[in-house]
């Protein structure tokens, strides 16, 4: 077992503890455990229960040093029937198990009904596939010896521990078969799909904007920690502060309100107070219905848990719907049957569009978390367009009250206070808000709770000479020369300015050349294929070299070199033609010199020395310091963690990392469970510095973090307020470290804009109420006129058959006439010809997703190309390819004109729906 596997098992141990009864696998672990240890584990279960026994089992397991024990543990899980846990540990992906949590929560809530109204022996045969064989026998024995209620309790206990992803549906079917009316309460029906989900075939899905949310208020943490049961909550612990009551007051008076208050002040509690008041004080004979919108799934999950715990004791029903659950949750029924619905906004956009929800009048209150996002084509704005069309269109149907929550309304591109006031008025118009609520009367109390960190900007020095950059830049110039020589037409696109290498500006230009090369045409198709393939490779290699220079600028040179070595190692395992052999040879010729440069102590990065000094100073002054270190990229996260662990001067640090999910076809990024584990480790002081990317800008809230470092990291004014808001302990500090004076200037501009925003809000709050409402209304009328003036006609599909060419080598892949649409947004190809044009390799991370099971990745069959075309999946009883349009070039057969598309929705061709009758038996699984 590797050190990484051992660490992963430690990281995910809580999942193992919740699911595994170790006594069920002890017989398979005899080669690894002595008899006395197995007896200890059995005694622990008898005395303290299976979770404590699982903890002891893991302790003994991780103490083993013999070769092969990890494989033995996996085999034991598999043989005992823990197939879900086996799969999760083998792939280190606990998403399937995580998704079962909503059903466990529902089962716990329904437990009193279940144990009194089911006969376990009648439904046990149906549920056997979801349980361990020993569990089934235990349930039978308890029924015979202690009665059916005791047996029901045992059955529920076993289901709550089940690792089988299908147990909620199997339970539903079992209840229906027995005609038990509990089946109506157990909602796992197939609902509407979120058609805006990223295409399944997009195996390079970037999800770095996923946010993790933890409620920060000390007196309020019992709402966000899963360890406490709802029944244990004390209302006295939830007593709001005066400033929270001040923030809630306009909304409690029924006014459409934007609540703008700093990160860490407890805006979630404010929203709970507003909801409770709204539901309790609804006019006689009418019933309120609240929609709470959360931008990101992790935030949605957290808020759903908070609302459930708070409102259960008050007798209100709470449910949640997100893109991840729409298949199993009927949207219309869920909204109808619950008082409060927590949603990701695209769900409402889709269901308004398809008519499942007739109008927003089904709600009486809508709350938008992070409401500053209500602009342009964001789902929040799509919802409010519907609202405003109903309001301004003269509809007699009642509209819901609207409340927005944010730490910063922002000012956009405003340069003056008047422009900033107009920007804020436009946000109010978008949310139909007539009040901006901030803390004014209870500022002193707020400042005692939310400590604004001291802000320092420090300009650090870069290397005076950079031999690594000199060598890599020469390699890049050589590639540019090769590109110019192969095609004079592209020569002007490779006119690099001094200093461009190693910048985002260069990255953008090369991406442009890369795209242009994909649709380059020549009369001689073989020559076209040769040139396009070469340009594809040249631009791909230039981007990797550029990435390495960005890494070397902010981290150690050896990290940048290791990045390149990993890339070239991967190249050798894929299609490896003469061009790639030549490019690899050029790199290898410089490899020894690059390694020598990296070993030279004089090439150490002075930026890191400054970072080291700040950390040493802060932890010397206050050894309990807890730091969040923001950086730009995942590669830099890994590099800085490695630097800290290798640096003896920083041995007091225990670094953890938090990044987005990354690209699903690579082992970059973090799964949602891993993100939660990283945050738990930081909150529990197992790690005292957390290195993060933009994933932590808005959603992560951690109490008592007292040092924030922005390492070459800056954004807009909203991002600045959010990142600075991470440090909330008394005496906290926020450092900006950069070698670029422009970055410091940008941060100073952001600080000026923050002052301008606060001043603009204060001035707007002094406006006459009627004057402000008139201004908001005039903006709404103008914006609606602009919307209504825009053409709404759908593009006419092009019915002409077209070629889909490989985006790398230009070989024919298929015709558009052979493309079929599966489940609204996925695309496959019919016919035997296509099967001959691709090869497949087992998927590195096979997983199920919305009715599809990823099996393999597919590549261009040309031996010296092997361009990634998509994936091979199991769909129902079929084995089919699912292709991604960005891997291809669309060619008009008649004119030869070539076009590149990034998304299927932008390609307007005649789309034919998937028909099982078109597929012969050899496509069936």
């Amino acid at each position: 077992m590797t050190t990484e596997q051992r660490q992963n098992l430690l990281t995910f141990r809580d999942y193992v503890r919740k699911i595994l009864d170790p006594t069920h696998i002890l017989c398979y672990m005899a080669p690894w455990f002595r008899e006395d240890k197995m007896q200890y584990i059995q005694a622990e279960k008898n005395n303290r229960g299976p979770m404590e026994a699982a903890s002891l089992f893991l302790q003994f397991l991780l103490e083993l040093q013999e070769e092969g024990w990890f494989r033995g543990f996996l085999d034991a899980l598999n043989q005992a029937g823990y197939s879900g846990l086996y799969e999760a540990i083998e792939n280190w992906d606990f998403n399937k198990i995580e998704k079962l949590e909503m059903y466990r929560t529902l089962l716990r809530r329904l437990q009193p009904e279940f144990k009194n109204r089911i006969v376990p022996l009648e439904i046990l045969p149906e549920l056997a596939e979801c349980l361990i064989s020993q569990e089934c026998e235990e349930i039978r024995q308890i029924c015979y010896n202690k009665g059916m209620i005791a047996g029901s309790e045992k059955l529920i206990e076993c289901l709550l521990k089940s690792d089988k992803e299908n147990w909620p549906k199997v339970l539903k079917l079992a209840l229906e078969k027995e005609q038990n009316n509990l089946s109506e309460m157990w909602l796992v029906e197939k609902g509407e799909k979120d058609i805006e989900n990223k295409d399944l075939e997009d195996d390079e899905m970037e999800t770095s904007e996923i946010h993790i949310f933890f409620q920060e208020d000390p007196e309020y943490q019992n709402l966000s920690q899963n360890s406490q049961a709802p029944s244990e909550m004390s209302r006295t612990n939830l007593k709001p502060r005066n400033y929270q009551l001040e923030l809630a007051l306009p909304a409690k008076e029924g006014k459409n309100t934007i609540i703008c208050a700093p990160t860490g002040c407890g805006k979630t509690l404010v929203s709970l107070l507003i909801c409770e008041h709204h539901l309790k004080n609804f006019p006689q004979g009418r019933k309120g219905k609240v929609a709470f919108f959360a931008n990101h799934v992790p935030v949605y999950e957290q808020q759903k848990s908070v609302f459930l715990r708070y409102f259960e004791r008050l007798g209100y029903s709470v449910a949640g719907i997100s893109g991840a659950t729409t298949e199993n949750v009927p949207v219309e029924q869920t909204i109808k049957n619950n008082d409060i619905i927590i949603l990701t906004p695209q769900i409402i956009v889709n269901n308004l569009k398809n008519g499942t929800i007739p109008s927003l009048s089904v709600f009486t209150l809508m709350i938008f978390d992070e409401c500053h996002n209500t602009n342009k084509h964001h789902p929040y704005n799509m919802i409010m367009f519907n609202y405003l069309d109903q309001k301004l269109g003269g509809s007699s149907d009642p509209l819901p009250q609207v409340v927005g929550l944010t730490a910063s309304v922002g000012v956009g591109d405003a340069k003056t206070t008047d422009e900033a006031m107009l920007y804020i008025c436009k946000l109010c118009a978008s949310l139909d808000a007539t009040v901006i609520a901030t803390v004014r009367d209870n500022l002193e109390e707020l400042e005692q709770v939310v400590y604004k960190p001291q802000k320092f900007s420090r300009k650090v020095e870069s290397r005076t000479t950079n031999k690594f950059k000199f060598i890599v830049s020469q390699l890049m110039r050589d590639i540019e020369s090769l590109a110019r020589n192969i095609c004079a037409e592209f020569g002007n696109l490779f006119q690099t300015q001094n200093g461009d290498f190693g910048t985002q500006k260069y990255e953008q230009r090369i991406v442009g050349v890369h795209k242009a090369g994909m649709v380059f045409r020549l009369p001689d198709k073989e020559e076209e294929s040769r040139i396009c393939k070469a340009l594809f490779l040249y631009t791909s290699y230039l981007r990797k070299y550029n990435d390495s220079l960005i890494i070397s600028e902010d981290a150690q040179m050896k990290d940048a070199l290791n990045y390149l070595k990993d890339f070239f190692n991967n190249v050798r395992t894929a299609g490896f033609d003469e061009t790639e052999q030549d490019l690899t040879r050029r790199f290898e010729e410089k490899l020894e010199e690059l390694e020598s440069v990296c070993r030279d102590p004089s090439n150490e990065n002075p930026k890191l020395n400054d970072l080291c000094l700040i950390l040493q100073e802060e932890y010397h002054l206050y050894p309990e310091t807890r730091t969040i270190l923001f950086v730009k990229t995942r590669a830099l996260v890994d590099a800085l963690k490695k630097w800290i662990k290798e640096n003896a001067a920083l041995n007091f640090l225990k670094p953890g990392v938090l990044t987005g999910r990354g690209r699903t076809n690579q082992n970059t990024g973090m799964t949602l469970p891993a993100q939660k584990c990283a945050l738990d480790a930081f909150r529990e002081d197992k790690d005292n510095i957390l290195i993060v990317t933009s994933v932590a800008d808005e959603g992560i809230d951690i109490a008592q973090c007292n040092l924030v470092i922005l390492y070459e990291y800056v954004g807009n004014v909203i991002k600045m307020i959010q990142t600075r808001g991470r440090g909330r302990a008394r005496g906290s500090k926020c450092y900006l470290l950069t070698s670029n004076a422009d970055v410091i200037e940008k941060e100073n501009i952001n600080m000026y804009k923050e002052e301008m925003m606060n001043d603009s809000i204060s001035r707007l709050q002094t406006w006459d109420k009627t004057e402000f409402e008139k201004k908001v209304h005039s903006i709404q009328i103008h914006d609606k006129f602009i919307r209504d003036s825009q053409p709404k006609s759908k593009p006419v599909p092009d019915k002409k058959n077209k070629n889909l060419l490989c985006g790398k080598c230009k070989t024919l892949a298929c015709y558009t006439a052979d493309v079929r649409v599966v489940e609204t947004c996925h695309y496959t190809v019919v016919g035997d010809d296509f099967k001959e044009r691709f090869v497949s390799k087992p998927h590195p991370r096979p997983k199920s997703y919305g009715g599809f099971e990823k099996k393999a990745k597919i590549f261009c069959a040309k031996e010296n190309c092997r361009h990634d075309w998509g994936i091979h999946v199991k769909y129902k009883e079929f084995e089919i390819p699912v292709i991604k349009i960005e891997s291809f070039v669309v060619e008009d057969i008649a004119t030869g004109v070539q076009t590149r598309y990034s998304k299927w929705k932008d390609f307007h061709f005649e789309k034919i729906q998937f028909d099982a009758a078109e597929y012969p038996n050899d496509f069936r699984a």
Side-chain angles (χ1 to χ4, degrees):
M1 183 188 188
T2 65
T3 303
E4 183 181 4
Q5 286 173 323
R6 193 181 293 272
Q7 183 59 47
N8 283 343
L9 197 53
L10 276 169
T11 300
F12 295 112
R13 63 186 178 276
D14 284 345
Y15 290 101
V16 180
R17 290 178 65 246
K18 289 177 182 178
I19 291 169
L20 179 64
D21 182 335
T23 61
H24 294 156
I25 68 169
L26 284 180
C27 61
Y28 303 108
M29 295 297 293
W32 313 103
F33 283 171
R34 297 195 314 268
E35 182 64 30
D36 61 331
K37 290 201 170 183
M38 290 196 282
Q39 290 177 359
Y40 285 142
I41 293 168
Q42 184 67 62
E44 190 75 355
K45 178 189 174 181
N46 295 340
N47 296 329
R48 302 181 65 189
M51 284 187 68
E52 295 303 324
S55 295
L56 185 62
F57 172 83
L58 285 172
Q59 177 188 326
F60 290 159
L61 194 67
L62 291 165
E63 289 171 356
L64 292 171
Q65 300 299 322
E66 295 91 333
E67 285 292 323
W69 68 261
F70 182 69
R71 186 72 251 173
F73 170 51
L74 283 178
D75 291 342
L77 290 175
N78 200 29
Q79 290 174 38
Y82 285 104
S83 55
L85 193 57
Y86 167 85
E87 180 186 342
I89 295 175
E90 188 170 54
N91 298 310
W92 298 118
D93 184 352
F94 285 76
N95 279 322
K96 288 182 183 178
I97 289 175
E98 182 76 15
K99 287 176 182 177
L100 292 171
E101 190 57 40
M102 61 179 287
Y103 298 112
R104 296 190 184 106
T105 301
L106 179 58
L107 184 56
R108 290 188 191 100
R109 290 179 62 192
L110 297 176
Q111 187 167 351
E113 294 287 333
F114 264 71
K115 72 177 184 179
N116 290 315
R117 291 165 59 181
I118 64 171
V119 180
L121 292 179
E122 290 180 355
I123 65 171
L124 190 58
E126 306 293 332
L127 291 171
E129 63 180 276
C130 304
L131 305 172
I132 305 300
S133 57
Q134 293 99 314
E135 291 176 332
C136 294
E137 187 54 37
E138 287 177 17
I139 293 166
R140 290 189 191 96
Q141 291 301 320
I142 290 173
C143 287
Y144 295 142
N145 297 328
K146 298 183 179 180
M148 292 302 165
I149 290 182
S152 297
E153 290 176 340
K154 182 62 180 178
L155 173 60
I156 292 168
E157 176 191 324
C158 294
L159 285 174
L160 289 171
K161 293 174 71 69
S162 177
D163 61 348
K164 311 301 185 294
E165 64 175 328
N166 66 331
W167 75 256
K169 291 184 179 179
V170 173
L171 176 58
K172 173 79 169 177
L173 293 172
L175 293 171
E176 288 176 345
K177 184 176 179 181
E178 295 300 322
Q179 298 183 335
N180 191 312
N181 58 10
L182 279 172
S183 65
E184 297 174 8
M185 302 171 66
W186 188 249
L187 298 176
V188 289
E189 303 294 333
K190 184 171 182 178
E192 297 294 331
K193 281 183 177 289
D194 181 355
I195 61 171
E196 289 298 316
N197 277 350
K198 185 71 172 170
D199 288 354
L200 172 74
E201 69 274 8
D202 182 1
D203 217 42
E204 298 185 353
M205 178 167 56
E206 175 60 58
T207 54
S208 64
E209 291 304 313
I210 289 180
H211 295 68
I212 306 295
F213 179 93
F214 277 86
Q215 180 59 40
E216 68 280 354
D217 292 314
E219 83 281 3
Y220 190 50
Q221 283 187 2
N222 59 330
L223 286 180
S224 60
Q225 294 175 353
N226 292 331
S227 59
Q228 187 171 19
S231 60
E232 295 169 353
M233 290 193 304
S234 167
R235 187 176 177 100
T236 58
N237 288 340
L238 301 177
K239 185 178 179 181
R241 294 189 171 96
N242 290 328
Y243 73 78
Q244 291 170 320
L245 294 173
E246 180 185 351
L247 289 171
L249 182 60
K252 289 169 76 173
E253 292 173 346
K255 298 171 184 174
N256 286 2
T257 307
I258 293 176
I259 296 171
C260 184
T263 301
C265 72
K267 289 189 289 293
T268 299
L269 179 54
V270 174
S271 68
L272 293 172
L273 297 173
I274 293 167
C275 280
E276 182 178 355
H277 182 273
H278 179 83
L279 293 171
K280 281 185 174 179
N281 292 276
F282 223 74
Q284 189 69 29
R286 295 180 62 197
K287 189 177 181 182
K289 193 173 294 291
V290 179
F292 185 101
F293 297 110
N295 238 341
H296 305 282
V297 172
V299 181
Y300 150 84
E301 293 285 358
Q302 184 64 34
Q303 298 295 64
K304 184 179 69 173
S305 174
V306 169
F307 273 74
L308 272 169
R309 289 169 183 245
Y310 185 87
F311 283 102
E312 270 187 335
R313 63 188 172 80
L314 299 174
Y316 294 107
S317 56
V318 179
I321 319 171
S322 72
T325 64
T326 48
E327 285 191 16
N328 300 320
V329 180
V331 175
E332 186 177 17
Q333 188 177 350
T334 302
I335 292 173
K336 181 180 178 181
N337 294 343
N338 291 279
D339 302 305
I340 303 168
I341 305 95
I342 317 297
L343 309 107
T344 47
Q346 191 64 48
I347 301 299
I348 293 297
V349 174
N350 293 343
N351 283 273
L352 285 168
K353 191 180 296 183
N354 65 28
T356 301
I357 299 174
S359 79
L360 293 171
S361 296
V362 298
F363 302 114
T364 58
L365 170 64
M366 299 191 302
I367 301 177
F368 294 84
D369 193 31
E370 306 295 352
C371 70
H372 53 263
N373 291 297
T374 313
N375 55 36
K376 298 180 181 177
H377 296 290
H378 191 279
Y380 281 180
N381 223 18
M382 297 298 105
I383 293 170
M384 288 307 299
F385 283 167
N386 189 289
Y387 173 103
L388 292 168
D389 286 346
Q390 188 174 333
K391 173 188 174 182
L392 302 174
S395 171
S396 59
D397 293 336
L399 284 166
Q401 182 185 355
V402 178
V403 174
L405 308 172
T406 184
S408 169
V409 293
V411 296
D413 297 325
K415 294 179 175 58
T416 66
T417 301
D418 285 344
E419 290 176 356
M421 289 169 67
L422 178 59
Y423 179 90
I424 296 168
C425 283
K426 286 182 176 180
L427 179 64
C428 290
S430 296
L431 287 161
D432 198 34
T434 57
V435 177
I436 305 169
T438 58
V439 178
R440 292 188 280 177
D441 298 336
N442 296 280
L443 267 175
E444 188 175 332
E445 183 190 44
L446 175 65
E447 288 166 358
Q448 291 298 313
V449 175
V450 180
Y451 307 110
K452 193 172 182 179
Q454 293 177 270
K455 186 71 183 288
F456 304 94
S457 293
R458 181 175 296 187
K459 188 174 185 301
V460 295
E461 296 304 318
S462 295
R463 299 180 181 92
T464 51
T465 59
N466 192 331
K467 189 69 183 296
F468 181 92
K469 183 172 183 178
F470 176 80
I471 297 168
V472 171
S473 296
Q474 188 55 54
L475 285 167
M476 294 173 76
R477 290 190 188 93
D478 291 345
I479 295 176
E480 288 187 341
S481 178
L482 290 170
R484 283 193 292 268
N485 291 338
I486 197 171
C487 182
E489 191 169 324
F490 281 85
N492 65 319
L493 296 175
F494 287 102
Q495 300 300 322
T496 305
Q497 302 296 316
N498 286 336
D500 270 5
F501 291 136
T503 64
Q504 291 298 324
K505 181 180 177 182
Y506 183 82
E507 163 80 5
Q508 291 165 5
R509 182 159 68 251
I510 292 303
V511 168
V513 178
H514 184 86
K515 292 178 179 178
M518 288 181 69
V519 294
F520 178 67
R521 291 192 294 150
L522 285 174
D524 184 338
K525 292 302 173 185
E526 285 193 16
E527 183 66 3
E528 177 186 317
S529 175
R530 183 184 72 84
I531 290 175
C532 288
K533 183 167 177 292
L535 284 172
F536 185 99
L537 292 171
Y538 291 151
T539 52
S540 298
Y541 280 62
L542 284 170
R543 291 177 71 183
K544 288 298 178 181
Y545 278 128
N546 195 61
D547 287 345
S548 74
L549 292 180
I550 292 173
I551 295 170
S552 73
E553 174 64 25
D554 295 333
Q556 300 175 101
M557 287 180 177
K558 67 178 183 179
D559 297 311
L561 181 57
N562 287 335
Y563 177 83
L564 288 175
K565 286 162 76 172
D566 288 344
F567 169 68
F568 280 97
N569 287 335
N570 290 332
V571 164
R572 294 186 187 93
T573 65
F576 196 54
D577 68 358
E578 290 181 4
T579 302
E580 291 178 288
Q581 290 173 26
D582 176 53
L583 294 173
T584 302
R585 177 187 56 77
R586 292 169 183 268
F587 171 71
E588 289 175 342
E589 286 175 354
K590 297 291 183 180
L591 182 56
E592 187 175 339
E593 187 178 1
L594 285 168
E595 287 183 327
S596 175
V597 168
C598 292
R599 287 192 297 267
D600 186 345
S602 67
N603 289 322
E604 287 184 359
N605 195 335
K607 287 187 190 180
L608 294 179
N609 293 335
D610 280 295
L611 177 58
C612 181
L613 287 172
I614 288 174
L615 290 167
Q616 286 178 312
E617 179 181 342
E618 294 298 330
Y619 280 82
H620 175 72
L621 292 172
Y622 182 53
E624 303 303 313
T625 290
R626 300 171 72 230
T627 303
I628 300 180
L629 173 60
F630 282 90
V631 299
K632 290 180 292 191
T633 65
R634 288 189 190 86
L636 197 51
V637 167
D638 296 334
L640 289 182
K641 180 181 179 182
K642 187 177 180 184
W643 168 72
I644 288 172
K645 296 188 90 167
E646 292 175 350
N647 193 333
L650 297 175
N651 60 8
F652 52 87
L653 292 179
K654 297 173 288 183
V657 302
L658 179 67
T659 68
R661 289 193 193 175
R663 301 181 184 272
T664 56
N665 69 326
Q666 300 172 9
N667 290 320
T668 61
M670 299 175 75
T671 63
L672 180 56
Q675 289 172 331
K676 289 182 177 178
C677 288
L679 285 168
D680 286 342
F682 187 68
R683 296 177 75 208
E684 295 164 8
D685 288 330
K686 294 173 185 174
D687 298 329
N688 60 1
I689 180 170
L690 193 62
I691 311 168
V692 304
T693 56
S694 60
V695 68
D697 266 350
E698 292 186 3
I700 172 176
D701 282 312
I702 303 172
Q704 303 307 308
C705 161
N706 62 304
L707 179 62
V708 173
I709 300 177
L710 311 177
Y711 187 67
E712 296 286 6
Y713 183 97
V714 69
N716 58 26
V717 63
I718 292 174
K719 179 178 282 192
M720 184 199 75
I721 294 169
Q722 296 283 5
T723 52
R724 191 180 62 197
R726 301 310 123 213
R728 291 191 299 277
R730 190 186 295 272
S732 57
K733 299 177 183 177
C734 179
Y735 284 92
L736 169 64
L737 266 67
T738 179
S739 59
N740 188 341
D742 290 342
V743 171
I744 293 177
E745 178 61 24
K746 186 173 182 180
E747 192 71 352
N748 289 336
I749 290 171
N750 282 339
M751 293 176 72
Y752 164 72
K753 284 188 171 184
E754 182 186 5
E755 292 178 9
M756 185 166 63
M757 179 193 75
N758 292 331
D759 183 44
S760 299
I761 291 173
S762 296
R763 289 174 61 177
L764 287 171
Q765 288 172 328
T766 65
W767 279 25
D768 176 74
K769 176 177 176 290
T770 304
E771 181 186 357
F772 184 70
E773 290 177 358
K774 186 177 178 181
K775 177 68 175 177
V776 166
H777 185 70
S778 68
I779 293 171
Q780 291 174 341
I781 294 291
H782 175 265
D783 288 351
K784 179 170 170 53
F785 175 78
I786 297 297
R787 286 199 306 276
D788 291 345
S789 301
Q790 294 172 349
K792 293 183 172 60
S793 58
K794 292 184 178 179
V796 178
D798 187 347
K799 296 185 178 182
K800 294 178 184 177
N801 195 16
K802 299 182 186 298
N803 295 330
L804 254 60
L805 310 179
C806 174
K808 182 176 178 181
C809 71
K810 293 293 189 75
T811 191
L812 176 67
C814 65
Y815 301 102
T816 54
D818 297 328
V819 175
R820 299 291 182 268
V821 185
V822 188
E823 300 283 344
T824 306
C825 57
H826 310 305
Y827 293 77
T828 188
V829 183
V830 299
D832 290 333
D833 289 346
F834 186 65
K835 291 170 68 176
E836 304 300 321
R837 292 174 179 146
F838 70 81
V839 294
S840 60
K841 294 181 181 178
H843 201 290
R845 297 175 69 180
K847 62 196 299 188
S848 295
Y849 180 89
F852 297 83
E853 183 182 351
K854 292 183 182 182
K855 292 283 197 179
K857 292 185 64 62
I858 63 173
F859 305 88
C860 176
K862 286 193 73 170
E863 196 166 326
N864 61 356
C865 178
R866 296 295 194 260
H867 185 38
D868 181 357
W869 282 3
I871 58 177
H872 214 266
V873 304
K874 181 181 178 183
Y875 171 66
K876 297 182 178 177
E877 71 268 32
F878 301 98
E879 297 270 1
I880 59 173
V882 175
I883 60 174
K884 48 186 179 180
I885 189 62
E886 62 264 41
S887 295
F888 301 92
V889 170
V890 178
E891 182 183 57
D892 188 293
I893 296 174
T895 66
V897 172
Q898 296 178 5
T899 311
R900 179 186 178 275
Y901 297 97
S902 297
K903 298 177 181 178
W904 282 107
K905 69 178 181 179
D906 298 328
F907 180 22
H908 304 299
F909 69 107
E910 187 174 25
K911 297 175 182 178
I912 305 171
Q913 297 301 312
F914 175 88
D915 183 355
E918 288 189 275
Y919 286 81
N921 287 333
D922 58 348
F923 276 87
R924 297 177 188 267

